[in-house]
Amino acid sequence: MAVPQRISFITLGARDLPRLRAFYAAWGWEELPGGEEDFAQYQAGGVRMALYPVELLGGEAAPGQAPPPPGGWNGITLAVNVGTAADVDAVHRAALAAGAVLISAPVRREWGGRSGYVADPEGNRWEIAWLPGLVLPPE
């Protein structure tokens, strides 16, 4: 049997889970029922995203290893794709208004689309992007 070609769940290790929870609420994301003090989850299209304390997540996924330093980039980006190039700018502004940190303003990319980057309060990088030809699932 091969590994299924899909991503089902993304879990972000949180240093300050209440702060991240408030940040994603300010983005307009609705938390799914069943959350606890140390766990929150959101339906993001066909993928579920969770927030979980970084030390507990590290105990499962990286036993004996230190987490990445606070505020530094961990080498991973997440993306929210939108329907038009103009939507990139509007959603990028909305993310900043919700408390995201500017990483790079939206620009036309060499691959033909448009995107810009923001970071959540713990440094997780989010690309706000439009990719020509990408068919987005219904919300």
Side-chain angles (χ1 to χ4, degrees):
M1 176 177 196
V3 175
Q5 188 171 329
R6 68 174 165 262
I7 296 174
S8 308
F9 224 99
I10 294 170
T11 304
L12 300 179
R15 288 179 171 79
D16 185 343
L17 201 140
R19 182 177 181 202
L20 276 186
R21 197 176 232 150
F23 172 78
Y24 288 108
W27 268 27
W29 286 23
E30 293 182 31
E31 190 173 326
L32 292 171
E36 299 177 9
E37 185 178 326
D38 65 354
F39 181 75
Q41 58 183 331
Y42 309 84
Q43 192 64 44
V47 177
R48 195 164 286 192
M49 185 184 88
L51 306 176
Y52 192 56
V54 70
E55 58 279 349
L56 296 176
L57 183 59
E60 294 178 13
Q65 296 181 28
W73 182 47
N74 62 9
I76 296 172
T77 64
L78 303 164
V80 173
N81 282 74
V82 295
T84 70
D87 290 345
V88 171
D89 296 86
V91 172
H92 197 269
R93 283 190 302 272
L96 294 172
V101 175
L102 176 66
I103 301 299
S104 66
V107 297
R108 184 148 186 86
R109 300 290 179 182
E110 67 281 351
W111 42 264
R114 181 172 182 76
S115 76
Y117 285 86
V118 298
D120 73 14
E122 295 201 4
N124 296 299
R125 296 321 200 254
W126 285 90
E127 180 182 25
I128 311 299
W130 168 69
L131 173 62
L134 178 66
V135 177
L136 297 173
E139 294 194 24

